[in-house]
DNA sequence: AATCTTAGTGTAAATTTAACACAAAGCTAA
DNA sequence: TTAGCTTTGTGTTAAATTTACACTAAGATT
């Protein structure tokens, strides 16, 4: 026990909630734990902080070690510090989340993981530690972000069709979206660039591909704001 | 050095960014540090995590010890884990923020603090540690929240007038707001309850007092969502 | 009683939303 | 080859909201 301090310290770890979209449903990436505690349980990839890395670097490192993913754009989600999170003792975990193109990622189990696998968000296995709480927090945050930011392009390919985008929104928000109104709304933002290519081999009218205009997005993010509750659903306003 | 572990561990702390509003400008509560490092510098109240408390409980405890504030509603802001945050060694800090009624709080220095004092957000002294980064993060988050949530009532009294509310919004967002349109918007949400009382002793028409309907707010928070970028300012949409 | 200052209400045009209908384009199967 | 099926893309219209204003009201001061 070579590391000694004047006061007790919790261990610090990072965990990653990685969202992917397969064209039909929203998934998260889980690993099966190779070691105790919770051996054999599924959990989010993560591990202990080392002294020469930030919490985000730790998340990125553990993600690569356990799943092979290297280029996810991580965003800090929340820090969990419950007293009984981990049977080994006090562990404070900084959770991160990321949206990735599921198709471009082939998760490979490594290190502490028996296997890495995608699970649909509405049928997860029993999770280790307090990862169920982490998952619910991530889901909530993801939905919030979808409400007021036209994000989610990280979840699709470099190019995508509007119908795909609608399905993504419907999956995440778990509610029906009017295609036609949605198209207009999203196109009016000017964030999508129309490409020449179309889908092919489909037994119906082919869809056009679009690309996300990241530079315009950054520009807009700086300026747009202030609307004070964007709009109140009529049904609620009446009450 | 009685606390020993197999692997090195960072210390974990909590810091609190407390926002207050004095009717004219937005302020934050700072303490002057009694001890090194950064002795004599101003900093956000905070301190080290103890083993029998969560990170939020730690924030609440330190806030009380150093400023006497007991009933702030803390919200987790962000966790800072930079390698060089603290000259004493590796410290990971979980930052919280809260909005309080400045008038109802008389900050009292205690414990590690020489004094506790409100500072206008646009003229802060030099801050200890990376607290300048924490402040900018908090300010950004506060503005974001004001954009899509009719919050900020914690910053005003139990009862308040619409002109006060406008001044609050103008202070936080640092931009002009059209009184008349703002009134309509905010009233339409149904979140404000008109009281009988009016301001008195003012050399002009007295303003009416309103009260925030917290239960309706909770109800709305559950249901409202999904607008996909509330609205795009015309000036930007044109580009 | 006139004046000054801020509070509260109203109006009209432009924009956006919500809820639809319909034409277009590709494959399939008779 | 053509009718039929499916999904995509584009309009249309009424209702609601936003924006940008002008005007009246109420209290204190001179």
């Amino acid at each position: 026990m070579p590391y000694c301090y004047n006061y007790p310290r919790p261990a610090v770890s990072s965990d990653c909630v990685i969202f992917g979209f397969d064209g039909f449903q929203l998934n998260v990436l889980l690993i099966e734990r190779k070691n105790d505690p919770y051996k054999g349980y599924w959990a989010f990839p993560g591990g202990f902080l080392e002294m020469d890395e930030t919490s985000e670097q730790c998340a990125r490192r553990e993600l690569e070690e356990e799943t092979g993913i290297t280029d996810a754009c991580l965003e800090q989600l929340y820090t969990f510090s419950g007293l009984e999170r981990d049977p080994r003792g006090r562990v404070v975990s900084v959770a991160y989340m990321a949206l990735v193109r599921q198709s471009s990622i082939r998760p490979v189990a490594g290190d502490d993981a028996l296997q890495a696998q995608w699970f649909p968000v509405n049928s997860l296995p029993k999770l280790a530690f307090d990862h169920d709480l982490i998952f619910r927090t991530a889901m909530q945050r993801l939905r919030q972000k979808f409400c007021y930011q036209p994000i989610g392009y990280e979840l699709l390919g470099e190019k995508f069709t509007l119908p795909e985008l609608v399905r993504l929104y419907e999956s995440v928000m778990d509610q029906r979206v009017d295609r036609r109104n949605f198209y207009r709304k999203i196109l009016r933002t000017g964030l999508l660039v129309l490409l020449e290519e179309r889908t092919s081999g489909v037994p119906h009218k082919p869809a056009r591909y679009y690309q996300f205009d990241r530079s315009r997005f950054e520009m807009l993010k700086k300026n747009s704001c202030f609307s004070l509750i964007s709009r109140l659903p009529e049904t609620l306003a009446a009450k």
Side-chain angles (χ1 to χ4, degrees), chain A residues 158-160 162 187 192-195 208-212:
Chain A
E158 185 63 39
K159 60 182 199 285
F160 52 85
L162 292 185
L187 288 177
L192 301 192
V193 181
L194 179 61
L195 304 177
R208 309 205 57 170
Y209 279 107
Y210 288 84
Q211 204 171 16
F212 186 60

Side-chain angles (χ1 to χ4, degrees), chain A residues 20-114:
Chain A
F21 183 65
D22 59 16
F24 292 98
Q25 54 187 353
L26 189 67
N27 300 294
V28 286
L29 186 59
L30 297 175
I31 59 156
E32 188 180 350
R33 289 179 57 82
K34 190 187 281 182
N35 305 312
D36 268 325
Y38 291 103
K39 181 176 171 178
Y41 278 67
W42 293 89
F44 292 115
F48 291 104
L49 181 72
E50 297 182 355
M51 297 305 271
D52 61 347
E53 64 187 3
T54 65
S55 175
E56 184 177 328
Q57 286 164 348
C58 170
R60 186 161 282 120
R61 176 179 54 73
E62 290 286 347
L63 185 61
E64 179 170 5
E65 287 177 8
E66 295 178 352
T67 70
I69 295 179
T70 58
D71 59 349
C73 179
L74 294 173
E75 172 190 328
Q76 198 182 101
L77 171 63
Y78 197 80
T79 296
F80 297 86
S81 62
L83 302 186
E84 309 289 346
R85 294 190 61 248
D86 192 315
R88 290 168 291 188
R90 192 73 199 282
V91 179
V92 172
S93 181
V94 185
Y96 287 80
M97 65 185 270
L99 311 178
V100 302
R101 289 179 226 154
Q102 189 171 332
S103 58
S104 73
I105 282 180
R106 188 155 308 283
V108 179
D111 210 57
D112 292 335
L114 282 174

Side-chain angles (χ1 to χ4, degrees), chain A residues 14 21 25 39 43 56 76 102 107 114 137 139 158 168 178 199 216 218 225 237:
Chain A
S14 287
F21 183 65
Q25 54 187 353
K39 181 176 171 178
E56 184 177 328
Q76 198 182 101
Q102 189 171 332
L114 282 174
T137 307
M139 204 61 214
E158 185 63 39
L168 172 60
D178 185 292
T199 53
R216 180 174 164 83
E218 295 304 327
C225 211

